[in-house]
């Protein structure tokens, strides 16, 4: 990850944590394929876990 990538994740983390934007960041930067499959469309269940994974 470059510094600009880290800054974009930190910016999301310090904002209101829009689930769809966080999901897109996770898709782009994460290596965990299992979580990439379960996050889409499940905001009510996984919003906290998405923030935790970053």
């Amino acid at each position: 990850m470059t510094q600009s990538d880290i800054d974009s994740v930190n910016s999301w983390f310090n904002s209101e944590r829009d689930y769809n934007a966080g999901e897109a960041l996770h898709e782009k930067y994460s290596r965990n394929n299992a979580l990439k499959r379960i996050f889409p469309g499940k905001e009510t269940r996984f919003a906290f876990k998405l923030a935790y994974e970053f």
Side-chain angles (χ1 to χ4, degrees):
M1 276 179 118
T2 65
Q3 186 60 41
S4 65
D5 298 338
I6 294 169
D7 291 341
S8 64
V9 171
N10 284 336
S11 175
W12 175 82
F13 194 72
N14 292 325
S15 70
E16 293 184 18
R17 298 183 190 166
D18 176 55
Y19 186 80
N20 293 326
E23 182 183 336
L25 287 171
H26 188 269
E27 177 73 28
K28 186 174 182 180
Y29 300 120
S30 177
R31 295 180 189 175
N32 191 332
N33 291 326
L35 291 178
K36 288 180 182 182
R37 287 192 302 267
I38 65 169
F39 280 153
K42 297 179 180 160
E43 179 178 1
T44 56
R45 184 171 182 190
F46 292 113
F48 180 77
K49 184 157 183 70
L50 179 62
Y52 174 79
E53 287 298 319
F54 279 123

